Amino acid sequence: MKPQTKRKQQAIETKERIFKCAVALFGQYSYENVTVNDICQAAQVSIGAFYHHFKNKECILNEGYRLFDDQLEAAWDDGHPDNDLEAIRFLVAGQMKSMQQMGALAASQYFKNQLTYEEKYILNKDRFFYRTIYEAVQGEIASENLFGEARSITEDILSNCRGIIYDWCLHEGSYDLLQKGERVLEMVLYYYSKSTDKGAGAE
């Protein structure tokens, strides 16, 4: 792999700075009240530099989902549980920690973006977060620790995660998202750990 040129590295750093400053502003003042000019001033870049990296303000939110997946994949590569069940817990905890670090107001902007934006990246089955949980669920089914259809179980895990984050945003971040997320995940896993018609999860 060729080393990055100084110019390319500077471009990456500028894009990351714009993104981080924008999210910080969204968390303080809400997405609607932040202008591109506000973002440029906070990031200390020109308007031209902003539009070089982002088509518009909305693209910053789309970048956030990809950045989350990149960060989670890097954490995964640094070390993750070998046990599939623990891997699912690891991934969900990573999502909850990321949202909590971002803050409820900024996190709510992501949900609003996905409700109105044509590309529903959050539902993309090829993204690292979805794909890795799905593979871990398949492993647990093969080990007969979970019972049901892998896609259904994965969708239930992820839809519950989204619901908890949405509720946390409604409550303006007033409770521990990670703690509640872990508790609700255990409910879903317990449901599918039962080898019964009810727990089979067949579609």
Side-chain angles (χ1 to χ4, degrees), residues 12-70:
I12 292 171
E13 291 173 357
T14 298
K15 186 174 183 179
E16 289 180 350
R17 186 165 72 252
I18 293 171
F19 173 79
K20 289 178 181 177
C21 289
V23 171
L25 288 170
F26 297 158
Q28 283 183 279
Y29 306 109
S30 85
Y31 175 81
E32 294 81 3
N33 295 324
V34 175
T35 66
V36 169
N37 191 53
D38 293 332
I39 296 168
C40 291
Q41 288 184 2
Q44 297 183 322
V45 300
S46 66
I47 296 289
F50 176 91
Y51 285 111
H52 174 75
H53 294 289
F54 298 99
K55 183 179 178 181
N56 50 45
K57 190 173 66 167
E58 193 172 52
C59 286
I60 292 176
L61 295 178
N62 297 329
E63 181 72 15
Y65 288 108
R66 293 174 176 83
L67 183 61
F68 162 72
D69 274 357
D70 289 345

Side-chain angles (χ1 to χ4, degrees), residues 114 119-127 130 155 162:
Q114 286 293 282
E119 181 191 358
K120 302 288 192 266
Y121 181 78
I122 198 171
L123 300 179
N124 188 337
K125 293 179 174 60
D126 292 325
R127 58 183 297 216
Y130 187 107
E155 292 288 350
R162 290 192 293 268

Side-chain angles (χ1 to χ4, degrees), residues 59-101:
C59 286
I60 292 176
L61 295 178
N62 297 329
E63 181 72 15
Y65 288 108
R66 293 174 176 83
L67 183 61
F68 162 72
D69 274 357
D70 289 345
Q71 291 172 339
L72 190 60
E73 187 170 3
W76 178 267
D77 290 341
D78 282 343
H80 61 271
D82 293 328
N83 177 280
D84 286 320
L85 201 58
E86 290 304 317
I88 295 169
R89 294 182 177 117
F90 174 89
L91 292 162
V92 170
Q95 183 189 42
M96 298 302 163
K97 289 175 185 175
S98 178
M99 292 294 105
Q100 215 161 236
Q101 184 178 20

Side-chain angles (χ1 to χ4, degrees), residues 8 26-28 34 43 61 101 131 140 148 152-153 159 168 194 199:
K8 186 174 182 180
F26 297 158
Q28 283 183 279
V34 175
L61 295 178
Q101 184 178 20
R131 177 168 39 83
E140 285 301 289
S152 295
I153 297 173
S159 61
W168 177 72
K194 302 301 176 185

Side-chain angles (χ1 to χ4, degrees), residues 145-168:
N145 294 319
L146 295 178
F147 299 88
E149 197 275 321
R151 193 70 70 185
S152 295
I153 297 173
T154 303
E155 292 288 350
D156 279 355
I157 290 171
L158 296 181
S159 61
N160 273 276
C161 287
R162 290 192 293 268
I164 295 160
I165 296 169
Y166 177 72
D167 181 76
W168 177 72

